[in-house]
Amino acid sequence: MDEEDIAAFTALADPSVYVVTATADGQRAGCLVGFASQCSLQPVRFAVWLSKANHTYRVALAADTLAVHLLPRNRHDLAARFGSRCSAETDKFDGLAWHEGPGGALVLADALAWFTGRIHDRYDGGDHVAFVLDPIAPHTHATVDGQGDDRTALTLHDASDITAGHPA
């Protein structure tokens, strides 16, 4: 396999990135996710892939629901917060506007769109595990930051400068 060829292929796709949040056993965590997609039409299901090196993955293993957030393109700061810090070492939610959503999931107020989903199943894919979700509460903001109808989501290319904050 030529890694440069697959990197060129994925660069053309430039998918959205997501912030996934989880709560369980008195812990809260969140991380930036580059691998996620709807994975079924009937029933509707969505899969998010969490790195086994990530603290959010460990919290998600004990959770019943996860929240999946699309960030507006102008909120690179949120992507950096959730992508470059480790939840085991810092409270990523400190100072942010958030509320408890359906199923007890933490919902970020500044997301472009979000949904909570019950964990239907998990699939080991190597260094990441797919959490297959049954969406239960989708929400899309009409506007972002009161500056008109900015409905452009932050992409993998937009976040390519963020270095993962996994524990050492």
Side-chain angles (χ1 to χ4, degrees), residues 99-138:
H99 66 275
E100 187 173 309
L106 296 180
V107 174
L108 302 174
D110 292 334
L112 175 65
W114 58 268
F115 74 89
T116 59
R118 284 187 194 91
I119 298 171
H120 174 78
D121 214 338
R122 296 171 184 88
Y123 296 96
D124 191 319
D127 61 359
H128 284 66
V129 171
F131 286 72
V132 178
L133 307 176
D134 292 321
I136 55 175

Side-chain angles (χ1 to χ4, degrees), residues 53-86:
N54 198 304
H55 180 253
T56 303
Y57 163 75
R58 292 186 294 282
V59 175
L61 286 174
D64 295 320
T65 60
L66 301 177
V68 180
H69 307 80
L70 274 171
L71 300 179
R73 183 164 268 156
N74 65 352
R75 292 307 309 263
H76 183 276
D77 62 310
L78 280 178
R81 176 186 284 241
F82 282 92
S84 67
R85 300 179 186 178
C86 176

Side-chain angles (χ1 to χ4, degrees), residues 5 13 16 25 33 35 40 49 64 66 77 82 84 92 95 99 103 108 110 112 121 140-141 145 154 159-160 166 168:
D5 287 343
S16 297
D25 302 327
V33 172
F35 308 139
S40 175
W49 293 82
D64 295 320
L66 301 177
D77 62 310
F82 282 92
S84 67
K92 296 180 185 181
H99 66 275
L108 302 174
D110 292 334
L112 175 65
D121 214 338
T140 302
H141 289 289
D145 293 335
L154 194 74
S160 64
H166 298 243

